[in-house]
Amino acid sequence: MRSGGGSDGMDNAAETAPKSDPAQSGSDDERDLSHDDPERQETDRDIEQDESGLTGHERGQIKDNLRLSAITVFSVIRREGEEELHRPAMSLWFSGIAAGIGISTSVFAQGLLHNAYADHPQRELIAAFGYAMGFVLVVLSRLQLFTENTLTAVLPLLASPNLERLWRTGRLWAIVLAANLLGTFLTALLVDIFADPAHPTVAGMLDVSRKAAEAQGWTALLDGVPAGFFIAAFVWMLPSSKGFEIFVVALFAWLISAGGFAHVVAGSTEMFLLVLHGELPILDAFTLHLAPTLLGNVIGGTGLFALLAFGQIKAEI
């Protein structure tokens, strides 16, 4: 009987407890961000007063349709970056190899379309859609792609710089880049061993690779800067693109190819194909193409986008 009475008391307490307004869910975070900002508090009070006539459902609809703020996007990517920085080296290594193999899909699909639309006046723009396929595969599979980490892994370092984060960032970059290049080399090696060079798609891949190899030295570096910027840009946009991630990734990857810009990992597949086909010395592949492109990607992704993205929210954190 005592237990029954205790249960009734608990039920009565639950019934009399104040119920939370669904429209206020999530508002605690906003109050946390503004509790030290009198101006923000006053603005929030004005908004609440203006919306006093709205129902809880209508307030919920407003909250559901608000875009993520810049500081929210920063916090999401920073948290992802912290997780990546602390992942085991073995996990980063195998994920990076898988990304290198996966990004080679870009060269395959681009070569396929390049050959299929050989007589079309907009051949290059159409083939650029194939280039986007590898990025969609790698990014949506959450594999480790070096150029994504020019933003994701750098934001934690910018927010709280210290030697440990600097070391972890360098460790992540080194492991992922080496793994990416190993993955693209293995793909190029398999194509060289098992594929017929006269096959239309393989011939298209080689044609695309030859065109990419025309950019050398400073040209490759300058072509790498916009590519690094665009990769960092779509990584920044992904938290706000729920349900439309595939279109964001595909659009900007297409833009990289259509604009004739250079991406170090996808481009390494092209360079390795030419090396294994006997058309490009291995030293030239690294010194004239991959190294300048790598530097350009880092400048665009970290030196431009990451610093600008951090600058816009620095005063708010």
Side-chain angles (χ1 to χ4, degrees):
M1 294 297 292
R2 287 174 62 92
S3 62
S7 175
D8 291 341
M10 292 175 62
D11 291 342
N12 291 335
E15 291 175 0
T16 58
K19 296 181 179 180
S20 61
D21 186 347
Q24 294 178 351
S25 62
S27 60
D28 290 343
D29 293 339
E30 295 175 3
R31 285 194 292 270
D32 289 343
L33 288 173
S34 62
H35 74 282
D36 289 331
D37 188 344
E39 184 177 349
R40 173 72 179 272
Q41 289 179 336
E42 183 178 354
T43 301
D44 289 345
R45 285 194 295 269
D46 291 341
I47 292 174
E48 289 177 2
Q49 184 175 358
D50 292 341
E51 296 177 351
S52 59
L54 299 179
T55 65
H57 177 68
E58 289 169 335
R59 293 180 186 178
Q61 287 181 316
I62 292 174
K63 189 171 291 293
D64 290 341
N65 285 280
L66 287 175
R67 294 192 301 168
L68 296 180
S69 65
I71 193 170
T72 302
V73 174
F74 168 81
S75 298
V76 170
I77 299 176
R78 176 186 177 182
R79 184 168 298 185
E80 291 180 351
E82 288 283 7
E83 293 176 357
E84 299 297 346
L85 290 176
H86 289 84
R87 289 186 69 186
M90 194 63 68
S91 299
L92 296 173
W93 177 253
F94 283 106
S95 182
I97 293 175
I101 295 172
I103 203 70
S104 299
T105 306
S106 289
V107 182
F108 168 77
Q110 188 178 14
L112 188 154
L113 293 176
H114 181 85
N115 179 75
Y117 290 89
D119 299 323
H120 197 283
Q122 301 300 328
R123 176 191 197 181
E124 300 300 329
L125 294 180
I126 295 173
F129 284 108
Y131 185 84
M133 294 302 99
F135 288 87
V136 170
L137 188 159
V138 169
V139 174
L140 298 190
S141 297
R142 302 303 300 269
L143 301 176
Q144 288 289 338
L145 185 64
F146 172 78
T147 43
E148 281 191 86
N149 285 310
T150 58
L151 176 70
T152 306
V154 169
L155 291 187
L157 178 62
L158 293 176
S160 301
N162 57 52
L163 290 178
E164 181 185 0
R165 278 199 176 89
L166 180 61
W167 177 83
R168 286 188 176 277
T169 302
R171 163 185 171 271
L172 175 67
W173 278 15
I175 293 172
V176 171
L177 180 60
N180 286 169
L181 295 181
L182 177 59
T184 57
F185 177 79
L186 290 175
T187 304
L189 183 62
L190 290 174
V191 171
D192 184 68
I193 293 174
F194 296 107
D196 182 1
H199 188 280
T201 300
V202 178
M205 293 170 67
L206 290 171
D207 284 344
V208 167
S209 300
R210 294 184 187 107
K211 183 173 178 59
E214 293 175 2
Q216 301 181 8
W218 280 105
T219 302
L221 187 152
L222 294 176
D223 286 347
V225 174
F229 187 91
F230 290 142
I231 295 293
F234 77 59
V235 172
W236 182 267
M237 289 187 287
L238 286 178
S240 303
S241 308
K242 297 302 181 184
F244 297 92
E245 294 93 339
I246 187 172
F247 300 107
V248 172
V249 175
L251 177 63
F252 280 88
W254 172 84
L255 184 59
I256 290 172
S257 179
F261 304 125
H263 183 269
V264 63
V265 183
S268 67
T269 303
E270 298 167 329
M271 297 306 114
F272 290 146
L273 281 172
L274 295 179
V275 168
L276 294 171
H277 200 248
E279 299 185 27
L280 182 67
I282 185 67
L283 185 61
D284 288 355
F286 278 95
T287 59
L288 297 180
H289 301 283
L290 297 182
T293 301
L294 170 63
L295 181 57
N297 288 168
V298 172
I299 292 173
T302 297
L304 291 178
F305 194 93
L307 291 177
L308 291 173
F310 178 71
Q312 71 169 325
I313 55 83
K314 186 177 187 300
E316 302 176 58
I317 60 175

PDB file of all heavy atoms in Angstrom, residues 71-106:
ATOM      1  N   ILE A  71      28.500  31.551 -35.949  1.00  0.00           N
ATOM      2  CA  ILE A  71      29.168  30.963 -34.794  1.00  0.00           C
ATOM      3  C   ILE A  71      28.692  29.531 -34.558  1.00  0.00           C
ATOM      4  O   ILE A  71      29.450  28.686 -34.076  1.00  0.00           O
ATOM      5  CB  ILE A  71      28.949  31.833 -33.532  1.00  0.00           C
ATOM      6  CG1 ILE A  71      29.900  31.376 -32.425  1.00  0.00           C
ATOM      7  CG2 ILE A  71      27.498  31.798 -33.072  1.00  0.00           C
ATOM      8  CD1 ILE A  71      29.939  32.312 -31.231  1.00  0.00           C
ATOM      9  N   THR A  72      27.440  29.237 -34.929  1.00  0.00           N
ATOM     10  CA  THR A  72      26.953  27.863 -34.808  1.00  0.00           C
ATOM     11  C   THR A  72      27.656  26.954 -35.799  1.00  0.00           C
ATOM     12  O   THR A  72      28.082  25.848 -35.462  1.00  0.00           O
ATOM     13  CB  THR A  72      25.435  27.812 -35.035  1.00  0.00           C
ATOM     14  OG1 THR A  72      24.779  28.667 -34.088  1.00  0.00           O
ATOM     15  CG2 THR A  72      24.907  26.391 -34.866  1.00  0.00           C
ATOM     16  N   VAL A  73      27.789  27.418 -37.040  1.00  0.00           N
ATOM     17  CA  VAL A  73      28.498  26.639 -38.052  1.00  0.00           C
ATOM     18  C   VAL A  73      29.943  26.408 -37.619  1.00  0.00           C
ATOM     19  O   VAL A  73      30.471  25.297 -37.713  1.00  0.00           O
ATOM     20  CB  VAL A  73      28.457  27.363 -39.420  1.00  0.00           C
ATOM     21  CG1 VAL A  73      29.330  26.635 -40.440  1.00  0.00           C
ATOM     22  CG2 VAL A  73      27.026  27.456 -39.926  1.00  0.00           C
ATOM     23  N   PHE A  74      30.567  27.468 -37.124  1.00  0.00           N
ATOM     24  CA  PHE A  74      31.941  27.345 -36.631  1.00  0.00           C
ATOM     25  C   PHE A  74      32.032  26.287 -35.529  1.00  0.00           C
ATOM     26  O   PHE A  74      32.948  25.454 -35.530  1.00  0.00           O
ATOM     27  CB  PHE A  74      32.420  28.695 -36.091  1.00  0.00           C
ATOM     28  CG  PHE A  74      33.698  28.619 -35.309  1.00  0.00           C
ATOM     29  CD1 PHE A  74      34.926  28.583 -35.946  1.00  0.00           C
ATOM     30  CD2 PHE A  74      33.677  28.558 -33.916  1.00  0.00           C
ATOM     31  CE1 PHE A  74      36.105  28.500 -35.225  1.00  0.00           C
ATOM     32  CE2 PHE A  74      34.850  28.482 -33.185  1.00  0.00           C
ATOM     33  CZ  PHE A  74      36.066  28.453 -33.839  1.00  0.00           C
ATOM     34  N   SER A  75      31.090  26.305 -34.607  1.00  0.00           N
ATOM     35  CA  SER A  75      31.129  25.373 -33.483  1.00  0.00           C
ATOM     36  C   SER A  75      30.956  23.933 -33.944  1.00  0.00           C
ATOM     37  O   SER A  75      31.595  23.016 -33.412  1.00  0.00           O
ATOM     38  CB  SER A  75      30.051  25.738 -32.461  1.00  0.00           C
ATOM     39  OG  SER A  75      30.267  27.032 -31.931  1.00  0.00           O
ATOM     40  N   VAL A  76      30.084  23.720 -34.933  1.00  0.00           N
ATOM     41  CA  VAL A  76      29.879  22.372 -35.466  1.00  0.00           C
ATOM     42  C   VAL A  76      31.163  21.848 -36.091  1.00  0.00           C
ATOM     43  O   VAL A  76      31.612  20.727 -35.808  1.00  0.00           O
ATOM     44  CB  VAL A  76      28.733  22.371 -36.504  1.00  0.00           C
ATOM     45  CG1 VAL A  76      28.668  21.032 -37.237  1.00  0.00           C
ATOM     46  CG2 VAL A  76      27.393  22.652 -35.824  1.00  0.00           C
ATOM     47  N   ILE A  77      31.775  22.665 -36.950  1.00  0.00           N
ATOM     48  CA  ILE A  77      32.987  22.221 -37.646  1.00  0.00           C
ATOM     49  C   ILE A  77      34.154  22.098 -36.673  1.00  0.00           C
ATOM     50  O   ILE A  77      34.972  21.169 -36.783  1.00  0.00           O
ATOM     51  CB  ILE A  77      33.330  23.187 -38.792  1.00  0.00           C
ATOM     52  CG1 ILE A  77      32.179  23.222 -39.797  1.00  0.00           C
ATOM     53  CG2 ILE A  77      34.613  22.762 -39.491  1.00  0.00           C
ATOM     54  CD1 ILE A  77      32.368  24.217 -40.916  1.00  0.00           C
ATOM     55  N   ARG A  78      34.228  22.997 -35.715  1.00  0.00           N
ATOM     56  CA  ARG A  78      35.298  22.915 -34.715  1.00  0.00           C
ATOM     57  C   ARG A  78      35.193  21.608 -33.930  1.00  0.00           C
ATOM     58  O   ARG A  78      36.205  20.946 -33.678  1.00  0.00           O
ATOM     59  CB  ARG A  78      35.222  24.105 -33.769  1.00  0.00           C
ATOM     60  CG  ARG A  78      36.249  24.050 -32.643  1.00  0.00           C
ATOM     61  CD  ARG A  78      36.033  25.169 -31.651  1.00  0.00           C
ATOM     62  NE  ARG A  78      36.964  25.085 -30.541  1.00  0.00           N
ATOM     63  CZ  ARG A  78      36.971  25.920 -29.507  1.00  0.00           C
ATOM     64  NH1 ARG A  78      36.099  26.907 -29.452  1.00  0.00           N
ATOM     65  NH2 ARG A  78      37.849  25.773 -28.536  1.00  0.00           N
ATOM     66  N   ARG A  79      33.966  21.233 -33.553  1.00  0.00           N
ATOM     67  CA  ARG A  79      33.796  19.989 -32.800  1.00  0.00           C
ATOM     68  C   ARG A  79      34.192  18.789 -33.649  1.00  0.00           C
ATOM     69  O   ARG A  79      34.820  17.846 -33.161  1.00  0.00           O
ATOM     70  CB  ARG A  79      32.352  19.859 -32.323  1.00  0.00           C
ATOM     71  CG  ARG A  79      32.099  18.647 -31.445  1.00  0.00           C
ATOM     72  CD  ARG A  79      30.747  18.706 -30.768  1.00  0.00           C
ATOM     73  NE  ARG A  79      30.650  19.868 -29.881  1.00  0.00           N
ATOM     74  CZ  ARG A  79      29.589  20.091 -29.095  1.00  0.00           C
ATOM     75  NH1 ARG A  79      28.572  19.248 -29.106  1.00  0.00           N
ATOM     76  NH2 ARG A  79      29.553  21.156 -28.311  1.00  0.00           N
ATOM     77  N   GLU A  80      33.811  18.804 -34.934  1.00  0.00           N
ATOM     78  CA  GLU A  80      34.230  17.720 -35.823  1.00  0.00           C
ATOM     79  C   GLU A  80      35.752  17.677 -35.941  1.00  0.00           C
ATOM     80  O   GLU A  80      36.356  16.603 -35.984  1.00  0.00           O
ATOM     81  CB  GLU A  80      33.596  17.913 -37.199  1.00  0.00           C
ATOM     82  CG  GLU A  80      32.090  17.708 -37.232  1.00  0.00           C
ATOM     83  CD  GLU A  80      31.511  17.910 -38.624  1.00  0.00           C
ATOM     84  OE1 GLU A  80      32.258  18.369 -39.520  1.00  0.00           O
ATOM     85  OE2 GLU A  80      30.321  17.606 -38.812  1.00  0.00           O
ATOM     86  N   GLY A  81      36.351  18.873 -36.012  1.00  0.00           N
ATOM     87  CA  GLY A  81      37.804  18.935 -36.104  1.00  0.00           C
ATOM     88  C   GLY A  81      38.492  18.359 -34.884  1.00  0.00           C
ATOM     89  O   GLY A  81      39.499  17.649 -34.998  1.00  0.00           O
ATOM     90  N   GLU A  82      37.962  18.658 -33.706  1.00  0.00           N
ATOM     91  CA  GLU A  82      38.538  18.107 -32.475  1.00  0.00           C
ATOM     92  C   GLU A  82      38.481  16.582 -32.491  1.00  0.00           C
ATOM     93  O   GLU A  82      39.431  15.908 -32.076  1.00  0.00           O
ATOM     94  CB  GLU A  82      37.773  18.641 -31.250  1.00  0.00           C
ATOM     95  CG  GLU A  82      38.029  20.113 -30.952  1.00  0.00           C
ATOM     96  CD  GLU A  82      39.371  20.357 -30.284  1.00  0.00           C
ATOM     97  OE1 GLU A  82      40.168  19.412 -30.158  1.00  0.00           O
ATOM     98  OE2 GLU A  82      39.623  21.520 -29.902  1.00  0.00           O
ATOM     99  N   GLU A  83      37.366  16.039 -32.964  1.00  0.00           N
ATOM    100  CA  GLU A  83      37.248  14.580 -33.035  1.00  0.00           C
ATOM    101  C   GLU A  83      38.272  13.991 -33.996  1.00  0.00           C
ATOM    102  O   GLU A  83      38.888  12.957 -33.717  1.00  0.00           O
ATOM    103  CB  GLU A  83      35.834  14.196 -33.465  1.00  0.00           C
ATOM    104  CG  GLU A  83      34.759  14.539 -32.439  1.00  0.00           C
ATOM    105  CD  GLU A  83      33.366  14.239 -32.936  1.00  0.00           C
ATOM    106  OE1 GLU A  83      33.229  13.815 -34.118  1.00  0.00           O
ATOM    107  OE2 GLU A  83      32.409  14.432 -32.169  1.00  0.00           O
ATOM    108  N   GLU A  84      38.473  14.660 -35.138  1.00  0.00           N
ATOM    109  CA  GLU A  84      39.433  14.160 -36.116  1.00  0.00           C
ATOM    110  C   GLU A  84      40.860  14.217 -35.568  1.00  0.00           C
ATOM    111  O   GLU A  84      41.664  13.305 -35.793  1.00  0.00           O
ATOM    112  CB  GLU A  84      39.340  14.973 -37.413  1.00  0.00           C
ATOM    113  CG  GLU A  84      37.992  14.913 -38.113  1.00  0.00           C
ATOM    114  CD  GLU A  84      37.640  13.527 -38.583  1.00  0.00           C
ATOM    115  OE1 GLU A  84      38.527  12.650 -38.621  1.00  0.00           O
ATOM    116  OE2 GLU A  84      36.459  13.290 -38.908  1.00  0.00           O
ATOM    117  N   LEU A  85      41.179  15.277 -34.852  1.00  0.00           N
ATOM    118  CA  LEU A  85      42.530  15.436 -34.314  1.00  0.00           C
ATOM    119  C   LEU A  85      42.890  14.343 -33.315  1.00  0.00           C
ATOM    120  O   LEU A  85      44.068  14.029 -33.134  1.00  0.00           O
ATOM    121  CB  LEU A  85      42.670  16.808 -33.646  1.00  0.00           C
ATOM    122  CG  LEU A  85      42.675  18.024 -34.571  1.00  0.00           C
ATOM    123  CD1 LEU A  85      42.716  19.303 -33.755  1.00  0.00           C
ATOM    124  CD2 LEU A  85      43.839  17.985 -35.549  1.00  0.00           C
ATOM    125  N   HIS A  86      41.885  13.765 -32.680  1.00  0.00           N
ATOM    126  CA  HIS A  86      42.144  12.766 -31.646  1.00  0.00           C
ATOM    127  C   HIS A  86      41.871  11.335 -32.118  1.00  0.00           C
ATOM    128  O   HIS A  86      41.927  10.401 -31.317  1.00  0.00           O
ATOM    129  CB  HIS A  86      41.298  13.067 -30.399  1.00  0.00           C
ATOM    130  CG  HIS A  86      41.758  14.285 -29.651  1.00  0.00           C
ATOM    131  ND1 HIS A  86      41.371  15.562 -30.009  1.00  0.00           N
ATOM    132  CD2 HIS A  86      42.597  14.434 -28.587  1.00  0.00           C
ATOM    133  CE1 HIS A  86      41.933  16.439 -29.188  1.00  0.00           C
ATOM    134  NE2 HIS A  86      42.677  15.776 -28.324  1.00  0.00           N
ATOM    135  N   ARG A  87      41.617  11.158 -33.387  1.00  0.00           N
ATOM    136  CA  ARG A  87      41.408   9.802 -33.903  1.00  0.00           C
ATOM    137  C   ARG A  87      42.741   9.045 -33.958  1.00  0.00           C
ATOM    138  O   ARG A  87      43.799   9.642 -34.182  1.00  0.00           O
ATOM    139  CB  ARG A  87      40.783   9.836 -35.299  1.00  0.00           C
ATOM    140  CG  ARG A  87      39.331  10.290 -35.327  1.00  0.00           C
ATOM    141  CD  ARG A  87      38.744  10.160 -36.705  1.00  0.00           C
ATOM    142  NE  ARG A  87      38.584   8.754 -37.088  1.00  0.00           N
ATOM    143  CZ  ARG A  87      38.194   8.355 -38.306  1.00  0.00           C
ATOM    144  NH1 ARG A  87      37.960   9.249 -39.248  1.00  0.00           N
ATOM    145  NH2 ARG A  87      38.058   7.084 -38.579  1.00  0.00           N
ATOM    146  N   PRO A  88      42.700   7.734 -33.784  1.00  0.00           N
ATOM    147  CA  PRO A  88      43.939   6.944 -33.879  1.00  0.00           C
ATOM    148  C   PRO A  88      44.562   7.065 -35.263  1.00  0.00           C
ATOM    149  O   PRO A  88      43.851   7.206 -36.279  1.00  0.00           O
ATOM    150  CB  PRO A  88      43.463   5.512 -33.609  1.00  0.00           C
ATOM    151  CG  PRO A  88      42.164   5.655 -32.895  1.00  0.00           C
ATOM    152  CD  PRO A  88      41.534   6.910 -33.420  1.00  0.00           C
ATOM    153  N   ALA A  89      45.877   7.001 -35.305  1.00  0.00           N
ATOM    154  CA  ALA A  89      46.592   7.125 -36.576  1.00  0.00           C
ATOM    155  C   ALA A  89      46.159   6.046 -37.569  1.00  0.00           C
ATOM    156  O   ALA A  89      46.049   6.315 -38.780  1.00  0.00           O
ATOM    157  CB  ALA A  89      48.100   7.044 -36.329  1.00  0.00           C
ATOM    158  N   MET A  90      45.904   4.837 -37.084  1.00  0.00           N
ATOM    159  CA  MET A  90      45.499   3.756 -37.972  1.00  0.00           C
ATOM    160  C   MET A  90      44.153   4.046 -38.631  1.00  0.00           C
ATOM    161  O   MET A  90      43.945   3.755 -39.815  1.00  0.00           O
ATOM    162  CB  MET A  90      45.440   2.436 -37.203  1.00  0.00           C
ATOM    163  CG  MET A  90      45.352   1.201 -38.087  1.00  0.00           C
ATOM    164  SD  MET A  90      46.813   0.994 -39.145  1.00  0.00           S
ATOM    165  CE  MET A  90      48.063   0.616 -37.927  1.00  0.00           C
ATOM    166  N   SER A  91      43.240   4.639 -37.876  1.00  0.00           N
ATOM    167  CA  SER A  91      41.933   4.991 -38.437  1.00  0.00           C
ATOM    168  C   SER A  91      42.085   6.037 -39.527  1.00  0.00           C
ATOM    169  O   SER A  91      41.470   5.943 -40.605  1.00  0.00           O
ATOM    170  CB  SER A  91      41.014   5.514 -37.330  1.00  0.00           C
ATOM    171  OG  SER A  91      40.801   4.541 -36.339  1.00  0.00           O
ATOM    172  N   LEU A  92      42.897   7.058 -39.262  1.00  0.00           N
ATOM    173  CA  LEU A  92      43.134   8.096 -40.264  1.00  0.00           C
ATOM    174  C   LEU A  92      43.790   7.506 -41.508  1.00  0.00           C
ATOM    175  O   LEU A  92      43.447   7.876 -42.642  1.00  0.00           O
ATOM    176  CB  LEU A  92      44.031   9.186 -39.672  1.00  0.00           C
ATOM    177  CG  LEU A  92      43.470   9.992 -38.504  1.00  0.00           C
ATOM    178  CD1 LEU A  92      44.547  10.916 -37.935  1.00  0.00           C
ATOM    179  CD2 LEU A  92      42.265  10.807 -38.938  1.00  0.00           C
ATOM    180  N   TRP A  93      44.722   6.584 -41.316  1.00  0.00           N
ATOM    181  CA  TRP A  93      45.474   6.007 -42.421  1.00  0.00           C
ATOM    182  C   TRP A  93      44.567   5.244 -43.384  1.00  0.00           C
ATOM    183  O   TRP A  93      44.576   5.497 -44.595  1.00  0.00           O
ATOM    184  CB  TRP A  93      46.568   5.103 -41.869  1.00  0.00           C
ATOM    185  CG  TRP A  93      47.370   4.377 -42.905  1.00  0.00           C
ATOM    186  CD1 TRP A  93      47.325   3.057 -43.218  1.00  0.00           C
ATOM    187  CD2 TRP A  93      48.349   4.950 -43.797  1.00  0.00           C
ATOM    188  NE1 TRP A  93      48.215   2.764 -44.212  1.00  0.00           N
ATOM    189  CE2 TRP A  93      48.851   3.909 -44.595  1.00  0.00           C
ATOM    190  CE3 TRP A  93      48.843   6.244 -43.967  1.00  0.00           C
ATOM    191  CZ2 TRP A  93      49.820   4.121 -45.569  1.00  0.00           C
ATOM    192  CZ3 TRP A  93      49.808   6.454 -44.943  1.00  0.00           C
ATOM    193  CH2 TRP A  93      50.285   5.400 -45.727  1.00  0.00           C
ATOM    194  N   PHE A  94      43.767   4.344 -42.858  1.00  0.00           N
ATOM    195  CA  PHE A  94      42.923   3.537 -43.744  1.00  0.00           C
ATOM    196  C   PHE A  94      41.787   4.359 -44.344  1.00  0.00           C
ATOM    197  O   PHE A  94      41.391   4.137 -45.493  1.00  0.00           O
ATOM    198  CB  PHE A  94      42.379   2.321 -42.997  1.00  0.00           C
ATOM    199  CG  PHE A  94      43.405   1.225 -42.838  1.00  0.00           C
ATOM    200  CD1 PHE A  94      44.004   0.991 -41.615  1.00  0.00           C
ATOM    201  CD2 PHE A  94      43.804   0.465 -43.925  1.00  0.00           C
ATOM    202  CE1 PHE A  94      44.962   0.006 -41.465  1.00  0.00           C
ATOM    203  CE2 PHE A  94      44.759  -0.524 -43.794  1.00  0.00           C
ATOM    204  CZ  PHE A  94      45.351  -0.759 -42.562  1.00  0.00           C
ATOM    205  N   SER A  95      41.265   5.308 -43.588  1.00  0.00           N
ATOM    206  CA  SER A  95      40.252   6.194 -44.147  1.00  0.00           C
ATOM    207  C   SER A  95      40.838   7.043 -45.269  1.00  0.00           C
ATOM    208  O   SER A  95      40.189   7.286 -46.291  1.00  0.00           O
ATOM    209  CB  SER A  95      39.685   7.092 -43.050  1.00  0.00           C
ATOM    210  OG  SER A  95      38.674   7.938 -43.557  1.00  0.00           O
ATOM    211  N   GLY A  96      42.092   7.476 -45.092  1.00  0.00           N
ATOM    212  CA  GLY A  96      42.755   8.267 -46.119  1.00  0.00           C
ATOM    213  C   GLY A  96      43.029   7.467 -47.389  1.00  0.00           C
ATOM    214  O   GLY A  96      42.886   7.986 -48.504  1.00  0.00           O
ATOM    215  N   ILE A  97      43.421   6.205 -47.228  1.00  0.00           N
ATOM    216  CA  ILE A  97      43.625   5.350 -48.407  1.00  0.00           C
ATOM    217  C   ILE A  97      42.310   5.167 -49.162  1.00  0.00           C
ATOM    218  O   ILE A  97      42.260   5.267 -50.397  1.00  0.00           O
ATOM    219  CB  ILE A  97      44.207   3.985 -47.998  1.00  0.00           C
ATOM    220  CG1 ILE A  97      45.627   4.152 -47.457  1.00  0.00           C
ATOM    221  CG2 ILE A  97      44.206   3.016 -49.183  1.00  0.00           C
ATOM    222  CD1 ILE A  97      46.232   2.872 -46.911  1.00  0.00           C
ATOM    223  N   ALA A  98      41.249   4.908 -48.413  1.00  0.00           N
ATOM    224  CA  ALA A  98      39.932   4.742 -49.045  1.00  0.00           C
ATOM    225  C   ALA A  98      39.517   6.010 -49.774  1.00  0.00           C
ATOM    226  O   ALA A  98      38.936   5.952 -50.874  1.00  0.00           O
ATOM    227  CB  ALA A  98      38.891   4.370 -47.984  1.00  0.00           C
ATOM    228  N   ALA A  99      39.832   7.174 -49.181  1.00  0.00           N
ATOM    229  CA  ALA A  99      39.507   8.437 -49.840  1.00  0.00           C
ATOM    230  C   ALA A  99      40.300   8.615 -51.130  1.00  0.00           C
ATOM    231  O   ALA A  99      39.776   9.106 -52.132  1.00  0.00           O
ATOM    232  CB  ALA A  99      39.775   9.601 -48.888  1.00  0.00           C
ATOM    233  N   GLY A 100      41.573   8.220 -51.115  1.00  0.00           N
ATOM    234  CA  GLY A 100      42.381   8.318 -52.324  1.00  0.00           C
ATOM    235  C   GLY A 100      41.836   7.444 -53.441  1.00  0.00           C
ATOM    236  O   GLY A 100      41.787   7.862 -54.606  1.00  0.00           O
ATOM    237  N   ILE A 101      41.419   6.240 -53.086  1.00  0.00           N
ATOM    238  CA  ILE A 101      40.810   5.356 -54.093  1.00  0.00           C
ATOM    239  C   ILE A 101      39.483   5.933 -54.559  1.00  0.00           C
ATOM    240  O   ILE A 101      39.178   5.953 -55.754  1.00  0.00           O
ATOM    241  CB  ILE A 101      40.620   3.946 -53.503  1.00  0.00           C
ATOM    242  CG1 ILE A 101      41.987   3.315 -53.199  1.00  0.00           C
ATOM    243  CG2 ILE A 101      39.817   3.053 -54.457  1.00  0.00           C
ATOM    244  CD1 ILE A 101      41.902   2.008 -52.435  1.00  0.00           C
ATOM    245  N   GLY A 102      38.690   6.429 -53.600  1.00  0.00           N
ATOM    246  CA  GLY A 102      37.380   6.963 -53.948  1.00  0.00           C
ATOM    247  C   GLY A 102      37.449   8.203 -54.810  1.00  0.00           C
ATOM    248  O   GLY A 102      36.658   8.361 -55.757  1.00  0.00           O
ATOM    249  N   ILE A 103      38.401   9.104 -54.528  1.00  0.00           N
ATOM    250  CA  ILE A 103      38.488  10.347 -55.291  1.00  0.00           C
ATOM    251  C   ILE A 103      38.905  10.066 -56.729  1.00  0.00           C
ATOM    252  O   ILE A 103      38.651  10.881 -57.636  1.00  0.00           O
ATOM    253  CB  ILE A 103      39.467  11.334 -54.616  1.00  0.00           C
ATOM    254  CG1 ILE A 103      39.155  12.774 -55.041  1.00  0.00           C
ATOM    255  CG2 ILE A 103      40.902  11.000 -54.950  1.00  0.00           C
ATOM    256  CD1 ILE A 103      37.881  13.309 -54.486  1.00  0.00           C
ATOM    257  N   SER A 104      39.524   8.911 -56.966  1.00  0.00           N
ATOM    258  CA  SER A 104      39.903   8.544 -58.335  1.00  0.00           C
ATOM    259  C   SER A 104      38.679   8.325 -59.213  1.00  0.00           C
ATOM    260  O   SER A 104      38.793   8.328 -60.451  1.00  0.00           O
ATOM    261  CB  SER A 104      40.769   7.279 -58.316  1.00  0.00           C
ATOM    262  OG  SER A 104      41.964   7.501 -57.576  1.00  0.00           O
ATOM    263  N   THR A 105      37.520   8.154 -58.597  1.00  0.00           N
ATOM    264  CA  THR A 105      36.271   8.086 -59.358  1.00  0.00           C
ATOM    265  C   THR A 105      36.085   9.341 -60.190  1.00  0.00           C
ATOM    266  O   THR A 105      35.487   9.300 -61.273  1.00  0.00           O
ATOM    267  CB  THR A 105      35.076   7.909 -58.402  1.00  0.00           C
ATOM    268  OG1 THR A 105      35.292   6.777 -57.565  1.00  0.00           O
ATOM    269  CG2 THR A 105      33.771   7.729 -59.157  1.00  0.00           C
ATOM    270  N   SER A 106      36.587  10.459 -59.690  1.00  0.00           N
ATOM    271  CA  SER A 106      36.474  11.718 -60.434  1.00  0.00           C
ATOM    272  C   SER A 106      37.143  11.613 -61.797  1.00  0.00           C
ATOM    273  O   SER A 106      36.590  12.030 -62.819  1.00  0.00           O
ATOM    274  CB  SER A 106      37.110  12.865 -59.635  1.00  0.00           C
ATOM    275  OG  SER A 106      36.339  13.193 -58.514  1.00  0.00           O
TER     276      SER A 106
END
